[in-house]
Amino acid sequence: MTDLAADGPELVIERDLMVPMRDGVRLRTDVFRPAGPGPFPTLVTRYPYVADEMTDAGAMLVARQGYAVVWQHCRGRYGSEGVFYPFRDDGPDGYDTVEWAAAQPWSNGRVASYGASYGGMQAWATAVLRPPHLVAIAPVSSAPSYFGCNIMYWAQGVMGLGFGLMWTGQITTWEAVRAGVPQPLPEFEQLERAMKEMASDPDAFLKAAMDQTALMSTLLTRRPLREIAELAELAPWWRDWCDNDDPRDAFWRRQNALDRIDDLTVPIFHMTGWYDLFTGATLDGFAALKRYGADPRVSDAHRLVVGPWSHVPGVPPRPDLPVGPEQTDMYDHSPGSPLMQFLGHHLKGENPDYGERPPVRVFVMGANRWREDSQWPPAEARATSYWLRSGGGANTLDGDGSLSLEPPAGEPADSFVYDPADPVPGPIGVGLGGGPEIEPSATGRRADVLVYTSEPLEEDLEVVGPVAVKLWASSSVADTDFTAKLIDVFPDGTAQALCQGVVRTRYATAAPVTPGAVHQFDVSVGATANVFRAGHRIRLHVSSSEFPTYELNPNTGERLTHDPSGRTITATQHVFHDAQHPSNLVLPVIPH
């Protein structure tokens, strides 16, 4: 990518343009465009992050393919006027920037909004306001709904605590500069500075990363979590995120593009990875638009690409992936990449047969091949139950838990004690470079993890689509959590996590949960595309925590975000698998 950005047609680069918004606030903007009279199709991208040589290289790479690229700092960030508050102003500001760009003499009036992560989120926010000159959006590794994207919340009541807090802490570094106050969390500033110098001083980067990890460990012990003093003035959204734990809250709904699906009237390029932060939200967004979009012609133009990627470019999420040009990463802006094919078709009229190609392309791990489909989830997938079985001792890898195609009859329940003071460890956030960073075989040795493993498979089993667990369980408390994780076990014992999910019991049933009573809890475990090879085994972990990936449930009916006492109690959990309570893992199996 760097070589392509450095070579090619001459560019005109305009720096530090101050583009006015409707309320008079001006946003710092750079424009990269080919030298020559133009006009050119135009791409707008907007970020709250600092621009550097890497972002310049990406913008130049795209501009040399015949586009004017508008790279803008979000409101209140790095020279843009106003006050930053995540997502709040991105819709109107994105609309005004699209229309400003379309009116420039170097633009032909055909504008697309694109970007990755936050840059993709702002594209969604822009699109629902329907700027007249917007012809497409390409949100890569992002979400139409901010609630269920595994950053703010994994499920109702369960924050993506580690990543949400880390991201907020990192954002405070510039907010302190803007406000002219001392850095409240200097470790985050040190990491940001070290990231810029990582190539020349990798040791400094590693030290800064360790310092930040140590700081995160300290911050996560604060009670209540919503009242972290260092965030109170510089990151007021942190309290709002803590306070709104329901996707139906007005706070989240006004930021949910899918609540305004009839206003999404342009083709959308959806791209994510199987170990991304935004896998589920991307898949759900594509499926909803294809099913409920008002204009069939627009619905037919949407595209979905899911690859073997995490959120961090260049970091393979599992060791058995092939190395090659198609397996680079989802942030590929080079000529002929999936993103640039989509943009070329809708902004330039290139690839006239593009609309005839299957709209869905996903990478199937294990087999390490791409498959194309007409829809997501694949129509041919068959929901197949693997029943949880044991003699009552499924705790740890050495227990007797199994997965079987034969349903249970009369079997004793499995039990474990969930102690919030000693939670199952997890990464700060899934998808930050290699998926779960805590080896499943390590957590599987804990007594508070139930492990259900199939016999070695006699033939390959292809699984493509959403994964679910129907869990019949009881607890000694009225409010607790249950977690589930799907794992591919290799013949040598290597355990590769695929996808995972969590449910908070107080929100999972129509009637209040009664301590000791058996209830069915439906756990969404995300989605995957994976071939379990012959000789491999299917494994399911069931527990009640993964910290700090998920916000801890203290088992008291309170939240650690709000309870200043930080009080926790233990809960005795029972998982049932008998004829009346047949707990099962549901896999979307592709028949062969």
Side-chain angles (χ1 to χ4, degrees), residues 38-356:
F40 306 103
T42 302
L43 301 177
V44 170
T45 191
R46 307 177 60 258
Y47 284 97
Y49 310 127
V50 66
D52 55 20
E53 292 181 0
M54 185 177 296
T55 59
D56 279 1
M60 289 189 286
L61 173 60
V62 174
R64 287 197 166 99
Q65 296 172 59
Y67 297 93
V69 178
V70 176
W71 205 106
Q72 185 176 83
H73 292 86
C74 290
R75 178 177 293 242
R77 301 292 291 173
Y78 297 101
S80 286
E81 297 171 352
V83 176
F84 178 70
Y85 187 103
F87 319 123
R88 181 183 61 192
D89 301 300
D90 290 321
D93 289 351
Y95 181 112
D96 293 349
T97 304
V98 165
E99 293 306 297
W100 172 86
Q104 302 309 301
W106 37 257
S107 175
N108 68 0
R110 296 183 63 77
V111 183
S113 182
Y114 81 115
S117 198
Y118 195 105
M121 290 179 168
Q122 66 80 28
W124 283 104
T126 298
V128 296
L129 299 184
R130 304 175 69 167
H133 290 91
L134 187 72
V135 299
I137 65 170
V140 174
S141 181
S142 67
S145 171
Y146 307 135
F147 182 88
C149 63
N150 304 352
I151 295 178
M152 291 73 173
Y153 282 84
W154 277 79
Q156 187 172 352
V158 186
M159 290 188 79
L161 183 61
F163 187 84
L165 181 56
M166 181 185 71
W167 187 88
T168 296
Q170 290 174 341
I171 290 292
T172 63
T173 59
W174 172 255
E175 292 303 290
V177 173
R178 181 182 61 80
V181 300
Q183 290 289 339
L185 300 167
E187 290 86 348
F188 286 113
E189 182 193 32
Q190 293 165 11
L191 181 65
E192 182 174 334
R193 185 167 57 249
M195 288 177 67
K196 297 177 186 178
E197 302 170 358
M198 181 168 53
S200 60
D201 193 353
D203 290 340
F205 171 75
L206 290 175
K207 180 182 183 304
M210 292 176 64
D211 289 344
Q212 178 183 266
T213 301
L215 172 64
M216 281 292 298
S217 298
T218 300
L219 292 177
L220 288 164
T221 64
R222 302 282 187 88
R223 299 292 182 268
L225 279 163
R226 76 181 294 275
E227 301 295 347
I228 295 175
E230 294 90 338
L231 304 180
E233 297 299 325
L234 297 178
W237 61 84
W238 175 248
R239 286 182 177 178
D240 293 337
W241 289 357
C242 291
D243 290 348
N244 292 275
D245 69 346
D246 188 330
R248 296 166 296 185
D249 290 346
F251 177 81
W252 297 114
R253 295 197 64 177
R254 63 174 169 263
Q255 302 176 37
N256 186 349
L258 298 183
D259 267 11
R260 301 180 58 177
I261 203 164
D262 289 345
D263 290 320
L264 292 168
T265 58
V266 298
I268 300 174
F269 180 78
H270 310 247
M271 195 173 199
T272 187
W274 292 121
Y275 291 93
D276 188 20
L277 295 167
F278 300 102
T279 310
T282 299
L283 296 170
D284 292 346
F286 175 81
L289 284 165
K290 294 289 281 187
R291 182 173 183 179
Y292 301 114
D295 187 337
R297 293 171 299 177
V298 175
S299 296
D300 289 344
H302 299 317
R303 291 294 181 270
L304 172 67
V305 177
V306 189
W309 308 308
S310 70
H311 196 65
V312 179
V315 180
R318 48 190 285 174
D320 60 333
L321 292 174
V323 177
E326 280 200 272
Q327 277 64 255
T328 51
D329 61 63
M330 61 184 153
Y331 307 113
D332 186 3
H333 293 56
S334 61
S337 66
L339 170 64
M340 298 314 297
Q341 287 188 45
F342 173 86
L343 293 172
H345 178 70
H346 290 289
L347 273 76
K348 296 181 176 180
E350 296 174 347
N351 310 313
D353 65 340
Y354 187 85
E356 300 171 11

